[in-house]
Amino acid sequence: MKQYMNFIGGEFVATGKTFENRAPVDNRVLGLVHEAGADEVDAAVRAARNALHGEWGRMTVTRRVELLHAVADEINRRFDDFLQAEMADTGKPHALASHVDIPRGAANFKVFADIVKNVPTESFEMATPDGGQALNYAIRSPVGVIGVVCPWNLPLLLMTWKVGPALACGNTVVVKPSEETPATATLLGEVMNAVGIPPGVYNVVHGFGPDSAGEFLTRHPGVNGITFTGETRTGEAIMAAAAKGVRPVSFELGGKNAGIVFADADFDKAVAGITRSAFENCGQVCLGTERVYVERPIFDRFVAALKEKAEALKPGPSEEAGVSIGPLISQEHRQKVLSYYEKAVREGATVVTGGGVPTMKGALAEGHWVQPTIWTGLPETAAVIREEIFGPCCHIAPFDTEEEAIALANATDYGLATTVWTQNLGRAHRVAKQVEVGICWINSWFLRDLRTAFGGAKASGIGREGGVHSLEFYTELRNVCIKL
Ligand code: NAD
């Protein structure tokens, strides 16, 4: 049986305690994950610290950039290994994993390496009180050992989105992948060794959150900064852990994102866009749309069109031709999503489509499938409109004015993303300026330029990463002042 081991100081490390990794498509056991205890986490943090003081710490930026390019090239050379591992762990369709997860996972190393190579620092000349002069200039230093705690929805992509810039800036990392998706983080260890990244620069510890590797890592005093992607509630626990030693955090958290469709939108493009934003990756995208607001004149037509699209989505295993929707990540998550499906009905929703579990044949019947689901008719106070579900579902409500649409979109504790559909340029700019989110897409969704700032407003996050913004978290500026 496959073993997913920890990767500490350049070596794969087994532990006495294992847990099963199961496939979302049919719940079969894929392998055993070796859970890191406090001792293994401590060893990983020490290995990361030693690497900072070794060859990695002394390496020129040029050499570091070369090595990170080699990491990306090696991921691409082993593209199929990464693809198979990611599809097995998540059950996502081949088209999605091969176009998004793996290529973007590799790109994260190149993009940030190039940014670090090309970004200058500031300098200021100043007059001194004695009539002389001084020169100030800034140096960017790595923060040190970065703890990287990851979710399961885009495992390689979201992990390398943190590891890429952290390493490019000269830090070392200890990664805690989600317990649901241990494979690609482990595989990346092989890549690091193959291209000659010094031992201890990239470490992986497996396990869960509380009283396991996640908590041991975030509480570890040897960790200098923590970058985390996951639920807002988990972020609160990690922030409390990081308070000890006043360590900086960068958080990408949950969302309850709105989609706004104006009557002047290109109708077909808006329907296609919301189909993606509501159902892609079986709704397990932090940027996904679970609240859709549609201008009243096109409301009925829009609901009917989205229903048709949702019903055309074909569930099935990753490699099957024509499959466009995979399962949810786990039985536990399916229970959560189905509990919202039931809650919606109890609260009086009209179920436009879905609301249950599709019939799957053979072994697939054991998988974590749910139907894409659309509701209408609920008040804004309903649980399925207020709380993040993280499933393939959305509620659609009508609105009458631009002001009302903005107010509805903003009436949430979260503030991650919005997708707005309109052909009126002035309106697009007005709405974008008023929605309280980290990213506002106009006539698009999940279109990411890695040079731009990414993060959440309100309860959806702390800080921004992407492009030069990542440098703010992964480096510290030191000002050097020279009296001339
Ligand atoms: P999660 O918060 O349950 O788990 C994320 C990671 O944190 C896992 O590795 C888990 O083991 C670890 N963890 C849990 N409790 C911990 C603790 N007390 N201390 C340390 N580590 C702990 O999230 P998830 O279910 O894996 O992912 C789904 C969530 O992630 C959704 O809320 C989604 O919106 C969010 N998300 C946000 C973004 C973003 O960019 N804003 C991106 C992807 C996912």
Side-chain angles (χ1 to χ4, degrees):
M1 182 169 292
K2 189 163 176 46
Q3 309 284 318
Y4 305 89
M5 289 196 244
N6 301 285
F7 184 67
I8 301 172
E11 288 179 5
F12 287 95
V13 177
T15 63
K17 208 171 161 193
T18 58
F19 60 93
E20 289 174 344
N21 179 30
R22 286 180 178 266
V25 292
D26 55 10
N27 207 34
R28 74 183 184 283
V29 178
L30 290 167
L32 294 176
V33 189
H34 289 250
E35 183 177 354
D39 287 348
E40 286 81 21
V41 171
D42 185 53
V45 174
R46 273 189 287 115
R49 172 76 46 205
N50 289 341
L52 277 176
H53 298 306
E55 184 193 353
W56 183 250
R58 293 189 297 272
M59 197 175 278
T60 62
V61 174
T62 312
R63 178 67 188 137
R64 212 158 68 212
V65 166
E66 276 170 14
L67 278 177
L68 294 177
H69 273 256
V71 169
D73 291 341
E74 182 68 4
I75 294 173
N76 285 327
R77 196 185 67 76
R78 296 190 59 184
F79 194 91
D80 202 50
D81 294 342
F82 278 91
L83 183 62
Q84 295 301 333
E86 205 74 308
M87 290 192 306
D89 270 6
T90 61
K92 62 179 74 190
H94 182 277
L96 186 61
S98 61
H99 283 104
V100 178
D101 294 75
I102 311 305
R104 288 208 208 169
N108 282 333
F109 285 101
K110 287 196 175 170
V111 167
F112 289 104
D114 292 344
I115 286 169
V116 163
K117 199 165 86 177
N118 291 309
V119 171
T121 51
E122 64 190 21
S123 83
F124 292 99
E125 288 178 340
M126 70 184 282
T128 54
D130 62 2
Q133 280 211 318
L135 173 67
N136 293 278
Y137 69 92
I139 297 175
R140 280 196 185 275
S141 316
V143 172
V145 177
I146 305 287
V148 183
V149 183
C150 308
W152 44 257
N153 58 333
L154 298 146
L156 181 72
L157 189 159
L158 290 175
M159 187 257 292
T160 56
W161 165 249
K162 309 295 192 158
V163 172
L167 298 191
C169 291
N171 301 282
T172 58
V173 296
V174 180
V175 175
K176 210 299 276 171
S178 168
E179 53 274 32
E180 307 285 358
T181 51
T184 45
T186 312
L187 206 47
L188 190 57
E190 293 178 18
V191 167
M192 296 289 173
N193 280 350
V195 305
I197 296 278
V201 170
Y202 172 81
N203 304 276
V204 180
V205 290
H206 289 298
F208 305 85
D211 203 26
S212 183
E215 184 178 329
F216 301 148
L217 177 63
T218 51
R219 287 201 181 282
H220 199 294
V223 171
N224 302 108
I226 300 165
T227 181
F228 166 69
T229 308
E231 282 188 30
T232 297
R233 223 182 25 231
T234 311
E236 289 171 354
I238 292 179
M239 198 164 180
K244 182 91 180 151
V246 283
R247 291 161 310 148
V249 294
S250 175
F251 282 172
E252 288 167 14
L253 307 177
K256 189 71 188 177
N257 310 303
I260 307 177
V261 184
F262 288 96
D264 62 27
D266 179 318
F267 186 83
D268 293 342
K269 285 186 182 157
V271 172
I274 299 288
T275 303
R276 278 188 65 222
S277 70
F279 305 124
E280 189 151 284
N281 206 33
C282 200
Q284 303 166 114
V285 182
C286 53
L287 306 158
T289 307
E290 291 187 354
R291 301 181 293 140
V292 184
Y293 300 104
V294 179
E295 203 167 357
R296 201 173 299 273
I298 61 162
F299 181 78
D300 290 340
R301 197 172 141 229
F302 187 90
V303 172
L306 199 69
K307 172 183 192 299
E308 198 176 306
K309 290 278 191 196
E311 289 172 357
L313 292 171
K314 183 182 170 204
S318 308
E319 306 254 32
E320 193 176 300
V323 161
S324 47
I325 188 163
L328 292 171
I329 191 72
S330 63
Q331 291 290 14
E332 192 190 358
H333 189 48
R334 182 163 86 152
Q335 280 316 314
K336 177 186 160 187
V337 172
L338 289 176
S339 78
Y340 278 102
Y341 283 16
E342 284 158 21
K343 220 177 271 185
V345 173
R346 273 205 309 278
E347 288 184 311
T350 300
V351 182
V352 175
T353 187
V357 173
T359 309
M360 303 299 287
K361 292 207 183 87
L364 295 179
E366 302 301 316
H368 317 142
W369 309 92
V370 293
Q371 288 175 325
T373 295
I374 300 172
W375 306 287
T376 57
L378 284 172
E380 287 296 304
T381 50
V384 300
I385 297 183
R386 305 252 55 86
E387 297 164 21
E388 183 185 47
I389 302 171
F390 224 55
C393 53
C394 64
H395 179 266
I396 318 183
F399 69 87
D400 293 299
T401 66
E402 190 177 306
E403 294 69 30
E404 185 191 359
I406 293 165
L408 286 164
N410 286 342
T412 169
D413 293 337
Y414 292 108
L416 191 54
T418 302
T419 171
V420 180
W421 296 83
T422 175
Q423 297 200 75
N424 178 328
L425 190 60
R427 165 175 280 159
H429 287 293
R430 281 196 302 275
V431 175
K433 194 163 175 164
Q434 292 175 78
V435 284
E436 297 160 350
V437 291
I439 184 158
C440 176
W441 277 290
I442 309 288
N443 298 329
S444 57
W445 178 74
F446 209 163
L447 195 53
R448 285 281 302 128
D449 182 327
L450 299 183
R451 295 168 301 183
T452 62
F454 180 86
K458 304 201 280 192
S460 290
I462 296 179
R464 293 290 179 274
E465 295 194 29
V468 294
H469 310 285
S470 289
L471 307 190
E472 298 308 319
F473 182 72
Y474 295 108
T475 63
E476 281 194 321
L477 275 179
R478 177 179 311 134
N479 185 65
V480 180
C481 178
I482 310 172
K483 177 84 163 60
L484 300 178

